[in-house]
Amino acid sequence: MKLAVWDPGEPFRRWRDALVQHALELGLAVEVVDAVADPDAQSDFALVWKPQRDWLQGQLGLRAVFNLGAGVDAIAPLLQQLHPGVPLIRLEDAGMGRQMADYVAEGVLHAYRRMADYAESQAQQRWEPLPLAPRSSFTVGFLGLGQMGLAAARRVAAMDFPVLACTRTGQARHGIDPAWPLFGLDRLDEFLAQTRVLVVLLPLTDDTRGLLDYAALSQLPAGAHLINAGRGAVIDQADLLELLQSGRLASALLDVFAAEPLPPDDPLWRHPRVRVTPHVAAQTLVGPSAAQVMRKIAAIERGDIPGGVVDMRLGY
Ligand code: GLV
């Protein structure tokens, strides 16, 4: 079986070595192809992160495509257009859940302990202790509760902050703590009104693009904080900036942006109440990802359907 890897961000041999090792352990015979260096080679399976359209179009015998990340917005429409019927499979956690939980936990504590206020005090050499809100009032609302959202929500709940969540359907699912108030997107405003720190971990789909505009974000209580580590285009950045400038939102921690890299002249870079990170909240780890992909290929070879198959109608 031939397995192509398209990941310009990672030395090919790292993927090849890890994939070959896991294939051996599973008793699979695999030839790993560097799709960037050898675009004409045909493969049965492909592991991709933002592949070139022409290359993907030229792959005529694909049995499945694995996305080297949790979010599939960049690849799902392209694959459906070029090779309808070829399943798209995303990574499920693969070491990203813990990273995301770390990132969000830091953001929640930064907000809770008023670090943006203290940064401002420090800039003015002002020694000014500020009151601390009761922890029980510092609700953390998770918008999106997939693999990343759930890992982060569990961590924040374990830190004794009240957690609530809003998902597309609002339906309970395995792994979601029944104690967390759960809202569907049709009750977004109600959810936002109860949220002191909004953690956005939604997939980018037709339903979520631009979902958090001025009107939606204004439903948050005054002085609320925002953390976005899902996809930038879910938020209207100009509206967000306006709400930060007016002081209605207290701070934002942003890992993702409508355009990446964030353009140098974007005012978000310089806003004193905004922290910017370069899309690193949860990075793909070669070892756990290679192990998971090989396990999923083994399942396909057995005739099973692996976990993480993207529902093309829903777009995630
Ligand atoms: C990164 O953003 C991912 O989707 O894994």
Side-chain angles (χ1 to χ4, degrees), residues 30-158:
V30 65
E31 184 187 333
V32 184
V33 176
D34 184 349
V36 179
D38 186 7
D40 294 332
Q42 293 289 317
S43 293
D44 308 289
F45 296 99
L47 263 67
V48 301
W49 185 249
K50 299 190 177 156
Q52 219 174 55
R53 180 196 173 91
D54 287 353
W55 171 78
L56 190 60
Q57 189 162 25
Q59 291 293 308
L60 300 176
L62 288 176
R63 293 170 58 197
V65 172
F66 294 87
N67 184 55
L68 291 174
V72 296
D73 46 285
I75 175 82
L78 187 62
L79 183 64
Q80 200 176 17
Q81 187 195 355
L82 298 177
H83 303 300
V86 172
L88 175 62
I89 303 169
R90 65 180 130 69
L91 286 180
E92 295 176 288
D93 197 317
M96 287 188 283
R98 181 153 68 180
Q99 297 175 64
M100 188 58 83
D102 287 345
Y103 187 90
V104 171
E106 193 276 342
V108 168
L109 287 175
H110 191 274
Y112 180 58
R113 297 307 306 256
R114 307 188 61 167
M115 291 302 184
D117 293 327
Y118 289 122
E120 214 167 87
S121 295
Q122 183 175 349
Q124 296 162 22
Q125 298 93 45
R126 206 173 60 222
W127 185 273
E128 187 184 8
L130 299 168
L132 197 59
R135 207 178 186 92
S136 58
S137 74
F138 210 75
T139 47
V140 183
F142 287 83
L143 183 52
L145 216 45
Q147 301 265 343
M148 294 301 104
L150 202 49
R154 286 209 186 107
R155 176 79 68 81
V156 168

Side-chain angles (χ1 to χ4, degrees), residues 220-244:
L220 289 164
H225 303 261
L226 173 80
I227 300 173
N228 187 14
R231 286 293 181 264
V234 170
I235 297 180
D236 185 311
Q237 283 175 198
D239 289 357
L240 169 63
L241 197 64
E242 208 173 315
L243 287 157
L244 284 160

